[in-house]
Amino acid sequence: MIEKAACFICAVPVYSRILAKYGGFRYDTGMSFVFPRDLHGFRIHMVGIKGTGMAALTEILCARGACVSGSDTADVFYTDEILNRLGIAPCLFSADNITGDIQCVIYSSAYSPETNPDLAEAFRRGLPCLLYSQALGIFSQTAFSCGICGVHGKTTTTGLAGTVCHELNLPAQTIAGSVISSFGGSCTQTDGHDFFIAETCEYQRHFMSFHPGKILLTSVESDHQDYYPTYESIRDAFIDYICLLPEGGELIYCADDSGACECAAAAHTKRPDIVLTAYGEKARGPYHVVFGGAADGKQYFSIDLFAGRQFALRMPGRHLVLNAAGATALACSLLSLAGRPVDSKAADCIERGLLAFSGGKRRSEIIGAVRSDACDVVFIDDYGHHPSAVRTTLEGYRKFYPGRKIITDFMAHTYSRTEALFEQFASCFGAADELILHKIYASARESAGNFTVSGRKLAEAAAHHHPHVRYYEEVMDAYSDIRNELLTPRAGGYLFVTMGAGDNWKLGQALYDSLK
């Protein structure tokens, strides 16, 4: 049994003044809040409860006995279903939500007491108020915790790790940044509380609130340019996070990613006590990966630790095999920490866990398939919004769905990212047969007037690299043209993919609903 403390102390903000920086907020701190390990009867209000991370944290809180209320906008999100299962009906934002029995407020970084009435009232009353990342950090002290991070792949890797640990019957609680199908349609999986596995986010250094015993690093490259203007700035954030590991802590990292390798080497120079465990095709050691072929809707691979055994995933893409290898390395490490052998029985469990994983919400999510005399189309939605992720994901689809014509509808997310990675975006769609682009999906944290880039300019640039590019300013403007194309008989059929962190998923859903 892993020893755990009875309560945890965290510095939380006091509403003395707010300093805006990089589109986020930083608060002066002047008090400490004791967060009890036993949350039964403890009343918590969640501001922005419909956010994916916030809904996932709500599941964790409820599983530990807390009484949770929440507020958000009236818009319906897929997380409404999660909250409904928990018996939580979110209120609209209002100061009246902060009643006298509220003991703590947790809020999304999308909101601040300057503009949100719930937070303004909570700070006026002097209630302890925690950012989501701070609350997650507190929970990371309640167990032996593992932080999964990286510019790409952290949600999928977290889902894979939780699914494999479930098959291994490890006493772990896992929280991912999206709904995971193998978690029963939830963002969390709870099999115990000795281990805590969490997706941890690099944006605004949020992961620095976490207390990791182990870290799994999937990838590092330039992203979030509104906060990290250079590659070096985001790289250094990951290095600082790795250095939070305790003495003798373990970093599991992808040897096939140059940024992850650079961070591992730099952190080890600062902290030679950190144990480095590499995984991937370029890794030396037990987690060296050998890629196999794709057949019968499965992608095969092997890991040196389990010689002679073939593992398989039901999802396409080389990057997903690497994620699976990282999740396997973490699960085996926790198995050893629990005093259990990594033997053939463990390998059987890992094999079942990997096959049981069918992805997460908006992570190569199969929306549906329509197969009839009139049309043959598979619809997929994917959250990939960085050119590296777009390229590798589409290449995976090309291998996994041979013969299908791939039509990719992409919506760029944030002006800062699109401008900083403009040429990479323009040239990353080579595996698609046709490319459809739209206006840039803006972020509340930046103003379009500060940038010269646009969706139309990206389409013009992409046309220099791709022979079939179409531009529709609004997402649904493409509906009629695409529907007519999908109804045109073609040997091999079609694969229609919506990609990006915007709302173009609505187009794929509408087309599927129409054709099915």
Side-chain angles (χ1 to χ4, degrees):
M1 184 68 68
I2 307 297
E3 195 172 315
K4 300 179 282 287
C7 66
F8 303 89
I9 299 174
C10 179
V12 298
V14 172
Y15 190 31
S16 54
R17 61 189 174 95
I18 301 172
L19 301 174
K21 183 177 182 181
Y22 301 120
F25 293 90
R26 187 177 72 234
Y27 301 92
D28 286 343
T29 58
M31 64 178 286
S32 291
F33 167 58
V34 178
F35 208 28
R37 182 169 176 268
D38 183 2
L39 292 176
H40 284 85
F42 196 80
R43 299 198 63 84
I44 301 172
H45 183 70
M46 310 283 284
V47 178
I49 193 171
K50 293 185 183 183
T52 302
M54 292 286 283
L57 183 57
T58 299
E59 289 186 289
I60 296 285
L61 292 166
C62 290
R64 299 198 180 192
C67 298
V68 180
S69 61
S71 56
D72 213 307
T73 66
D75 295 336
V76 176
F77 298 96
Y78 69 85
T79 52
D80 279 279
E81 183 178 344
I82 295 172
L83 298 173
N84 184 58
R85 289 201 301 264
L86 296 172
I88 298 172
C91 303
L92 296 178
F93 295 126
S94 169
D96 294 338
N97 295 328
I98 309 302
T99 55
D101 57 351
I102 299 295
Q103 295 168 274
C104 173
V105 173
I106 298 173
Y107 63 102
S108 162
S109 60
Y111 302 101
S112 79
E114 284 189 321
T115 57
N116 183 275
D118 300 54
L119 279 175
E121 178 63 15
F123 275 91
R124 188 189 70 79
R125 291 179 180 231
L127 290 174
C129 297
L130 298 166
L131 271 167
Y132 163 81
S133 55
Q134 292 174 316
L136 190 67
I138 292 174
F139 275 98
S140 69
Q141 297 178 80
T142 68
F144 185 92
S145 292
C146 308
I148 297 180
C149 64
V151 170
H152 315 299
K154 50 185 175 286
T155 299
T156 300
T157 305
T158 305
L160 281 160
T163 305
V164 169
C165 286
H166 175 74
E167 288 293 335
L168 287 166
N169 197 30
L170 281 167
Q173 188 171 44
T174 306
I175 179 170
S178 182
V179 168
I180 303 297
S181 297
S182 51
F183 288 4
S186 295
C187 302
T188 64
Q189 172 102 6
T190 301
D191 297 304
H193 299 293
D194 288 357
F195 301 116
F196 184 51
I197 302 169
E199 176 179 341
T200 55
C201 182
E202 71 277 6
Y203 184 62
Q204 293 185 341
R205 289 179 166 247
H206 285 161
F207 52 21
M208 295 302 289
S209 296
F210 201 74
H211 297 266
K214 296 181 186 291
I215 289 175
L216 195 164
L217 175 60
T218 63
S219 57
V220 179
E221 63 177 309
S222 182
D223 198 11
H224 304 299
Q225 285 78 13
D226 59 321
Y227 188 82
Y228 299 112
T230 64
Y231 163 72
E232 288 75 19
S233 58
I234 195 170
R235 176 203 63 193
D236 292 347
F238 278 100
I239 294 170
D240 289 345
Y241 180 45
I242 295 167
C243 288
L244 291 180
L245 285 166
E247 184 176 356
E250 183 181 22
L251 171 67
I252 300 168
Y253 70 99
C254 183
D256 292 21
D257 184 85
S258 59
C261 291
E262 183 178 357
C263 288
H268 197 255
T269 298
K270 291 185 174 184
R271 290 277 309 283
D273 62 289
I274 292 175
V275 176
L276 299 182
T277 300
Y279 67 89
E281 191 175 27
K282 296 180 181 178
R284 296 179 180 178
Y287 300 104
H288 169 249
V289 172
V290 177
F291 289 90
D296 304 320
K298 297 176 185 176
Q299 187 165 265
Y300 293 90
F301 63 99
S302 62
I303 298 173
D304 282 8
L305 179 64
F306 303 103
R309 183 183 290 262
Q310 284 273 2
F311 295 101
L313 290 173
R314 298 185 187 276
M315 301 180 66
R318 180 181 183 277
H319 59 299
L320 292 181
V321 169
L322 295 176
N323 293 341
T328 299
L330 177 61
C332 290
S333 184
L334 293 181
L335 200 64
S336 297
L337 192 60
R340 292 168 52 188
V342 182
D343 55 13
S344 60
K345 289 184 178 180
D348 290 341
C349 293
I350 293 167
E351 184 176 350
R352 287 197 301 271
L354 295 178
L355 275 174
F357 182 76
S358 55
K361 189 73 175 176
R362 303 214 64 203
R363 271 69 177 181
S364 288
E365 179 187 8
I366 297 178
I367 303 303
V370 179
R371 294 186 174 94
S372 67
D373 293 338
C375 62
D376 179 3
V377 190
V378 175
F379 292 89
I380 289 181
D381 181 48
D382 188 80
Y383 191 68
H385 53 277
H386 188 286
S388 296
V390 171
R391 184 188 303 277
T392 55
T393 301
L394 290 176
E395 288 172 352
Y397 296 159
R398 171 61 67 197
K399 293 178 181 178
F400 208 72
Y401 295 99
R404 288 190 178 273
K405 182 176 183 178
I406 300 177
I407 303 174
T408 299
D409 184 280
F410 179 76
M411 193 174 205
H413 178 238
T414 78
Y415 290 91
S416 55
R417 178 186 289 116
T418 307
E419 185 168 273
L421 304 176
F422 188 79
E423 284 303 319
Q424 292 96 312
F425 272 119
S427 60
C428 71
F429 300 99
D433 295 294
E434 291 185 16
L435 173 62
I436 302 163
L437 293 171
H438 308 283
K439 67 181 181 182
I440 294 171
Y441 190 78
S443 168
R445 61 185 184 242
E446 62 185 21
S447 171
N450 296 329
F451 302 92
T452 59
V453 70
S454 69
R456 187 175 295 277
K457 288 182 178 179
L458 179 59
E460 292 169 354
H464 292 294
H465 301 274
H466 200 287
H468 303 289
V469 180
R470 284 183 276 176
Y471 181 79
Y472 300 86
E473 181 76 6
E474 300 296 334
V475 169
M476 296 309 295
D477 289 350
Y479 175 83
S480 295
D481 289 347
I482 300 304
R483 188 177 187 279
N484 289 336
E485 181 174 3
L486 296 179
L487 285 170
T488 303
R490 180 187 179 279
Y494 299 90
L495 176 65
F496 185 77
V497 183
T498 47
M499 295 192 79
D503 62 359
N504 58 325
W505 59 269
K506 296 176 181 177
L507 175 60
Q509 187 67 57
L511 288 166
Y512 172 63
D513 290 341
S514 169
L515 296 175
K516 70 179 179 181

